[in-house]
């Protein structure tokens, strides 16, 4: 194999990019579904445990544990799969890129442009400098006045594409086929939330589906201001949502008492 | 001809009882010629922080946009809104970055600072010179072409512990009478009174000359 990213393999591929994608296939699943009035993004956390300090999650005004789902700008939310440290670096770059656009054009960066900025950066690492690529795939859920709600996926090669529903990380193939069967073009955000939660419970271990393992977010349009509203759910809100959709963890003690 | 006097304009901020007020004129000139009477120089940074930017008009817009960039990055990374004292230092470092080719602005910051331990809000004002030297006054801060006059009237009219309505009257009279003595300020005025629940903005009826 070649240790250099910038050199082709005999088969005509770039080994480092393939190895990066291999790393991502072991990472926590991230699922995104585009609805007519919003987008739903959910992710499986891998870093869990009783000793984990989650106080930031409870108090932080933007939600999220800082592992899977991040706010990039007021109009774009991203879900990451792969090396968390690489992802954090890309997230910071994306946030700066979004602000730079705002500074130059006095408008929120269009979603596709933001994806392109990141992809241009990622592609550079496959062709110049001899540095390894970023071991991260991202899902971008965003809204702009030009193309309304959009969902994009980008990978370590620097390629991106637009999707109605897609999945990255572990078990993404299974989730993708589940989505292909159930997805309808004119789905509402409410139904998309249900679809996402059901698909997540099938790809993850459903008996342990709870707020410790799940990150959840939606992007909708505020009915009065008509501005994009990103919501990254807090752990208590995720538990409530799971209860509502009948996917909450079964409390064994209560069941015993009922019997 | 001084660059700081090219477009004209003045800003003042005052401390009251559990409130702050920040006010400015609305003139935009091209030296002696008045070009606009609706040029706002005070901008909201967060719900509880306002910044006034008197000086060269192009820098007013540029600095507002640069601060918006930096405050957005702060908010998104820290997952919380910036406090006035932190923002004042951000203003200072942004200006000092351009120590040898400065922005021709002397910013005024007014807001309500949250005490991290008790959660109580207290009034906060600060002023800076064009290269970022901060002035943490307890009573009032002034800037702009009528700054000398603003100092004089404010020193006379200000007293501690003014309620929001009284603070509004005091800052309005201070601003109106000071800018009436300055050829480069005036042509309309606006006052923002910031309290813990809301911000009330009022435009004043002043001499349009």
């Amino acid at each position: 194999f070649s240790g250099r990213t910038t050199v082709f393999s005999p088969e005509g591929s770039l080994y480092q990019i393939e190895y990066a994608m291999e790393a991502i296939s072991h990472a926590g699943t991230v699922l995104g579904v585009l609805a007519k009035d919003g987008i739903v993004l959910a992710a499986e956390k891998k870093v869990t445990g009783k000793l984990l300090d989650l106080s930031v999650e409870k108090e932080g005004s933007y939600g999220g544990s800082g592992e899977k789902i991040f706010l990039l700008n007021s109009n774009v939310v991203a879900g990451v799969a792969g090396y968390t440290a690489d992802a954090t670096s890309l997230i910071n770059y994306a946030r700066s890129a979004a602000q730079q656009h705002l500074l130059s054009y006095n408008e929120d960066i269009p979603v596709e442009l933001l994806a392109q900025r990141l992809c241009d950066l990622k592609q550079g690492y496959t062709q110049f400098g001899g540095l390894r690529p970023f071991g991260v795939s991202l899902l971008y859920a965003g809204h702009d006045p030009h193309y309304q709600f959009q969902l994009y996926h980008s990978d370590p090669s620097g390629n991106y594409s637009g999707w109605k529903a897609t999945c990255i990380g572990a078990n993404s193939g299974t989730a993708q086929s589940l989505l292909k069967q159930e997805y309808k073009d004119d789905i509402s955000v409410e139904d998309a939330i249900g679809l996402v939660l059901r698909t997540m419970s099938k790809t993850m271990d459903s008996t342990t589906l709870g707020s410790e393992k799940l990150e959840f977010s939606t992007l909708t349009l505020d009915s009065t201001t008509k501005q994009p509203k990103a919501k990254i759910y807090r752990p208590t809100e995720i538990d409530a949502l799971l209860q509502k959709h009948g996917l909450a963890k079964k409390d064994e003690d209560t069941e015993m008492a009922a019997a | 001809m001084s660059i700081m006097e090219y477009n004209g304009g003045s800003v003042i901020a005052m401390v009251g009882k559990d409130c702050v007020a920040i006010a400015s004129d609305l003139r935009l000139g091209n030296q002696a010629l008045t070009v606009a009477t609706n040029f706002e120089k005070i901008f909201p940074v967060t719900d509880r922080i306002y910044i006034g930017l008197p000086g060269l008009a192009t820098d007013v817009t540029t600095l507002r946009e640069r601060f918006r960039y930096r405050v957005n990055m702060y908010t998104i990374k820290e997952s919380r809104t910036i406090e006035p004292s932190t923002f004042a230092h951000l203003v200072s470092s942004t200006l000092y970055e351009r120590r040898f080719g400065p922005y021709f602005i002397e910013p005024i910051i007014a807001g309500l600072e949250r005490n991290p331990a008790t959660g109580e809000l207290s009034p906060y004002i600060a002023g800076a010179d064009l290269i970022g030297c901060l002035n943490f006054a307890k009573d009032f801060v002034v800037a702009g072409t009528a700054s000398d006059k603003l100092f004089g009237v404010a020193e006379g009219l200000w007293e501690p512990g003014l309620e929001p309505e009284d603070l509004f009257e005091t800052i309005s009279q201070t601003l109106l009478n000071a800018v009436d003595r300055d050829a480069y300020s005036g042509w309309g005025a606006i006052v923002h009174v910031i309290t813990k629940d809301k911000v009330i903005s009022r435009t004043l009826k002043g001499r349009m000359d």
Side-chain angles (χ1 to χ4, degrees):
Chain A
F1 70 98
S2 170
R4 300 215 297 270
T5 54
T6 51
V7 172
F8 277 110
S9 75
E11 295 81 43
S13 51
L14 290 164
Y15 280 133
Q16 285 299 301
I17 294 173
E18 294 187 355
Y19 299 156
M21 308 243 210
E22 179 61 28
I24 291 159
S25 66
H26 300 304
T29 322
V30 184
L31 197 68
V33 170
L34 185 69
K36 64 176 191 297
D37 52 342
I39 314 179
V40 182
L41 206 60
E44 177 195 359
K45 286 198 270 196
K46 286 280 176 149
V47 182
T48 56
K50 264 171 63 172
L51 292 174
L52 201 61
D53 183 353
L54 297 169
S55 50
V56 166
E57 249 192 17
K58 290 185 192 113
E59 293 151 22
S61 45
Y62 289 124
S65 62
E67 191 198 327
K68 301 298 284 182
I69 297 183
F70 299 86
L71 190 71
L72 294 186
N73 195 21
S74 51
N75 64 323
V76 187
V77 185
V80 305
Y83 272 105
T84 311
D86 286 5
T88 316
S89 172
L90 284 176
I91 296 288
N92 279 331
Y93 181 87
R95 286 170 171 173
S96 299
Q99 290 306 311
Q100 189 58 45
H101 184 98
L102 179 64
L103 183 64
S104 304
Y105 303 105
N106 206 33
E107 64 160 26
D108 278 338
I109 189 167
V111 193
E112 190 173 351
L113 260 188
L114 184 56
Q116 281 173 5
R117 292 273 171 281
L118 273 173
C119 286
D120 290 344
L121 178 74
K122 291 203 256 188
Q123 191 277 337
Y125 279 74
T126 68
Q127 202 175 14
F128 316 112
L131 301 167
R132 68 163 176 81
F134 290 92
V136 193
S137 267
L138 296 100
L139 288 190
Y140 312 78
H143 178 280
D144 59 49
H146 313 289
Y147 294 103
Q148 291 73 55
F149 290 106
Q150 302 144 70
L151 178 66
Y152 294 98
H153 161 226
S154 74
D155 62 26
S157 68
N159 189 32
Y160 77 93
S161 40
W163 293 83
K164 297 178 189 176
T166 190
C167 183
I168 52 175
N171 301 322
S172 54
T174 334
Q176 193 83 20
S177 20
L178 284 168
L179 289 171
K180 220 195 303 201
Q181 289 172 344
E182 287 207 46
Y183 182 81
K184 303 268 177 297
D185 268 333
D186 55 356
I187 195 173
S188 69
V189 165
E190 273 310 304
D191 292 336
I193 292 176
L195 173 59
V196 165
L197 288 173
R198 273 177 279 120
T199 315
M200 284 302 277
S201 79
K202 283 174 198 155
T203 55
M204 289 164 61
D205 185 2
S206 60
T207 55
T208 59
L209 194 69
S211 56
E212 332 80 51
K213 291 219 117 201
L214 196 63
E215 270 194 52
F216 198 85
S217 70
T218 54
L219 185 81
T220 48
L221 223 49
D222 186 288
S223 45
T224 32
T225 61
K226 300 282 180 268
Q227 291 302 307
K229 191 166 69 171
K231 181 179 167 69
I232 303 181
Y233 285 58
R234 291 205 176 74
T236 41
E237 295 172 318
I238 297 177
D239 282 325
L241 201 63
L242 289 168
Q243 277 285 42
K244 188 174 137 190
H245 287 264
L247 292 161
K249 256 187 293 194
K250 311 264 181 287
D251 188 353
E252 284 129 33
D253 290 334
T254 336
E255 289 198 66
M256 284 285 280
Chain B
M1 188 215 58
S2 164
I3 310 174
M4 294 295 284
E5 276 139 48
Y6 188 79
N7 296 123
S10 310
V11 178
I12 177 173
M14 277 188 177
V15 165
K17 186 164 193 293
D18 300 324
C19 62
V20 287
I22 183 167
S24 76
D25 68 327
L26 292 170
R27 180 178 180 270
L28 172 75
N30 191 327
Q31 297 197 182
L33 173 68
T34 299
V35 166
T37 56
N38 61 355
F39 188 68
E40 299 228 19
K41 307 169 187 73
I42 300 178
F43 307 99
V45 177
T46 70
D47 289 338
R48 293 203 183 94
I49 309 175
Y50 274 65
I51 185 165
L53 299 164
L56 195 63
T58 178
D59 289 346
V60 171
T61 316
T62 302
L63 270 188
R64 169 190 163 267
E65 290 169 357
R66 299 245 298 152
F67 290 137
R68 181 176 59 178
Y69 184 124
R70 293 187 171 197
V71 170
N72 281 348
M73 286 305 290
Y74 182 98
T75 319
I76 223 172
K77 285 187 176 185
E78 300 249 340
S79 288
R80 65 187 181 91
T81 34
I82 196 170
E83 289 296 320
S85 54
T86 317
F87 178 66
H89 284 86
L90 180 63
V91 169
S92 171
S93 34
T94 307
L95 293 170
Y96 197 83
E97 260 180 355
R98 292 275 170 270
R99 171 65 178 77
F100 300 110
Y103 291 111
F104 294 100
I105 302 275
E106 293 187 327
I108 301 259
I109 299 125
L112 293 171
E113 178 98 2
R114 163 160 269 128
N115 181 321
T118 64
E120 263 177 48
L121 294 170
S122 45
Y124 180 94
I125 54 168
D129 70 5
L130 78 172
I131 45 175
C133 176
L134 285 170
N135 162 26
F136 305 107
K138 299 257 173 29
D139 41 15
F140 49 84
V141 284
V142 301
T145 51
S147 59
D148 294 346
K149 288 80 159 171
L150 284 164
F151 266 129
V153 194
E155 199 66 58
L157 294 183
W158 187 85
E159 59 185 69
L162 289 167
E163 295 289 334
E165 299 73 36
D166 302 322
L167 184 66
F168 165 72
E169 295 298 330
T170 308
I171 200 175
S172 302
Q173 285 303 315
T174 308
L175 181 69
L176 251 27
N177 289 293
V179 304
D180 283 349
R181 275 286 182 182
D182 177 26
Y184 286 97
S185 297
W187 283 94
I190 188 163
V191 183
H192 306 277
V193 182
I194 308 162
T195 49
K196 76 171 172 66
D197 312 304
K198 55 186 184 293
V199 176
I200 308 178
S201 305
R202 301 177 181 91
T203 22
L204 303 178
K205 183 161 169 271
R207 288 182 67 101
M208 300 296 272
D209 64 358

